[in-house]
Amino acid sequence: MNWASDFLWLLWAVPLTLGGLIALGWWLRGLEQRQWRSSRAAGPQAYFRGLSHLLNEQQDAAIDAFIEATQQDADTSELHFALGNLFRRRGDYDRAIRVHEHLLQRADLKTSDRHRAQHELALDFLKAGLLDRAETAMQTLLDSPLAEQARLALLGIHERARDWGQASAMAAQLDGSAAGSFRGRMAHHACELAQDALRQGDLVVAEQHLRAALHHAPHHARALMALANLQHQQGQTDTAVVTLLRCAEQQPHALPLFALSLAKWAATVPAQSERIMALLKSAHERQASVDITMALIQLAPQQRQHWLSNHLGRELSLAIAAESLADVSPLPEHALEAVKHAASPLQRYRCAACGFETHNYFWQCPGCQSWDSFPALRAEEL
């Protein structure tokens, strides 16, 4: 009898136990959902507070609120990236640095996001002018998927610091990559090193750097022009003329930059005078240029009015008009000075990338740091 009653009790207990377990599971699930809703509710409240602070120009309070949101919800890295980029675009570099440094302090940050945050932090330093810190930050990315972007940034940093040796080494690493060819850039670096050597009076080292530049880019206009100037300085004017003629053949667009030098040196190399005259006439027929017109006058002073009139008949130019008026006598008082004053701004070179204007020709724009962004023509000729 006792055995039968125990068996019946067991039959009743099994379904009760299963039902209790099911009920306990539903209760625990509800508790978990309530906790999840509570944590998720705290997150949006922090977001909203951050947005409110941001709209009210309370950036520091906004950062604190967004950091609180991050602590409550780990999947908010995109919000921080957007916020950091916003601050950097506005010039609030300290705040951008603070946002990205906080991201890097997170232990749960994915590796890809950590690399991205490190890159963004390096850009913050770079924009803030903290080149040493930017360089250190970029160096840590050279073994990451962002290595190419880091090398490009490091190249810019070395160029801004005028560390041409390091810049050339970095350009060599980038050359042939997905970023394209950097042979021309390396040639510019070698030309800069040649200029440094010339300032120190070391003509031998200067020529070595220029030869290296032509090894990187055999048709490089700047390297050919600098080599010709060095040859002329060493008394090898006939060789210098040949070098400039080579440059005119390989880089005809650069001819206005050295046309006057070519015309002046032709007097000491009579054998090349006819070739130089033919070259300048051909360039003048293609496009009237103030520099080429003045070079033609340098070669044939007796034909001055012919070339001035020819230029004005094909292309109006205040600079050429001022040259023509200089031959007219008498002129109303201050008339020539007025024309020259009006022509002066139009004789500047203008960067095609940023619009920076200067009376001197630059191979690298002082404004935007772009290379080869200045056309060889003056502003009124563009």
Side-chain angles (χ1 to χ4, degrees):
M1 187 69 180
N2 290 335
W3 175 86
S5 62
D6 290 342
F7 179 76
L8 290 174
W9 170 249
L10 182 62
L11 289 178
W12 281 102
V14 169
L16 285 175
T17 302
L18 291 175
L21 289 173
I22 293 172
L24 179 61
W26 279 104
W27 181 81
L28 290 174
R29 181 183 177 187
L31 177 61
E32 181 182 359
Q33 288 180 340
R34 287 193 298 272
Q35 291 175 341
W36 179 82
R37 292 192 194 100
S38 176
S39 64
R40 297 294 289 182
Q45 290 178 6
Y47 297 152
F48 295 144
R49 284 201 309 274
L51 289 173
S52 176
H53 291 313
L54 196 60
L55 292 173
N56 289 319
E57 300 294 329
Q58 298 172 340
Q59 287 90 350
D60 290 329
I63 293 175
D64 291 335
F66 286 129
I67 288 175
E68 179 185 345
T70 304
Q71 293 170 344
Q72 295 167 351
D73 185 355
D75 298 327
T76 56
S77 57
E78 287 299 330
L79 173 64
H80 276 62
F81 283 127
L83 185 63
N85 289 335
L86 172 63
F87 285 139
R88 188 169 65 234
R89 285 197 301 270
R90 293 180 54 182
D92 294 335
Y93 303 125
D94 290 341
R95 293 189 176 96
I97 290 170
R98 182 183 169 194
V99 169
H100 292 131
E101 283 182 336
H102 176 264
L103 268 177
L104 287 171
Q105 291 171 1
R106 283 177 47 181
D108 61 339
L109 196 64
K110 294 185 296 185
T111 302
S112 59
D113 284 343
R114 186 170 299 281
H115 289 152
R116 182 180 171 190
Q118 183 71 23
H119 184 255
E120 295 294 333
L121 179 61
L123 293 180
D124 296 338
F125 290 143
L126 187 59
K127 288 291 186 179
L130 304 173
L131 299 187
D132 53 342
R133 297 183 69 180
E135 181 179 358
T136 301
M138 287 295 181
Q139 290 284 355
T140 63
L141 295 171
L142 292 180
D143 294 325
S144 75
L146 297 176
E148 186 172 295
Q149 297 180 44
R151 288 190 176 93
L152 284 169
L154 286 169
L155 174 58
I157 290 170
H158 295 321
E159 289 179 347
R160 285 178 62 178
R162 303 189 67 80
D163 188 345
W164 304 116
Q166 289 281 5
S168 187
M170 191 57 64
Q173 293 182 38
L174 285 164
D175 186 52
S177 66
S181 173
F182 285 79
R183 308 295 288 180
R185 197 91 156 246
M186 294 160 67
H188 278 302
H189 299 154
C191 288
E192 294 287 348
L193 290 170
Q195 281 189 349
D196 292 342
L198 284 174
R199 281 191 285 268
Q200 297 172 7
D202 196 334
L203 303 186
V204 174
V205 173
E207 183 172 353
Q208 290 174 351
H209 285 305
L210 292 176
R211 297 292 181 186
L214 290 172
H215 174 75
H216 295 314
H219 299 169
H220 202 258
R222 180 186 184 182
L224 288 169
M225 291 169 56
L227 180 60
N229 287 326
L230 180 59
Q231 290 166 341
H232 173 67
Q233 186 176 344
Q234 294 172 326
Q236 305 170 11
T237 304
D238 53 344
T239 306
V241 168
V242 172
T243 301
L244 287 187
L245 289 172
R246 171 188 167 189
C247 186
E249 179 183 349
Q250 296 174 344
Q251 301 288 349
H253 67 277
L255 180 57
L257 297 176
F258 57 86
L260 275 173
S261 294
L262 197 57
K264 290 177 182 177
W265 297 347
T268 60
V269 191
Q272 297 285 6
S273 295
E274 291 187 7
R275 183 182 175 187
I276 293 172
M277 176 62 81
L279 172 69
L280 294 176
K281 282 183 178 179
S282 175
H284 180 76
E285 290 300 320
R286 289 196 304 271
Q287 181 173 7
S289 162
V290 171
D291 294 293
I292 290 177
T293 297
M294 298 310 296
L296 285 166
I297 294 172
Q298 176 77 29
L299 271 175
Q302 69 279 7
Q303 298 181 22
R304 174 182 170 85
Q305 277 303 318
H306 165 73
W307 291 118
L308 292 176
S309 298
N310 185 283
H311 186 121
L312 290 174
R314 299 175 61 244
E315 192 77 36
L316 296 178
S317 167
L318 278 176
I320 297 299
E323 289 291 333
S324 295
L325 289 174
D327 298 337
V328 177
S329 181
L331 272 179
E333 187 178 5
H334 304 309
L336 183 58
E337 287 76 5
V339 175
K340 287 183 177 179
H341 179 74
S344 180
L346 300 176
Q347 295 311 298
R348 297 172 180 166
Y349 296 101
R350 181 185 300 145
C351 175
C354 70
F356 183 91
E357 292 189 354
T358 173
H359 283 291
N360 299 317
Y361 187 87
F362 286 99
W363 296 99
Q364 184 183 29
C365 177
C368 65
Q369 308 300 311
S370 298
W371 290 99
D372 297 316
S373 59
F374 282 94
L377 299 173
R378 311 283 180 158
E380 73 170 355
E381 299 167 344
L382 297 176

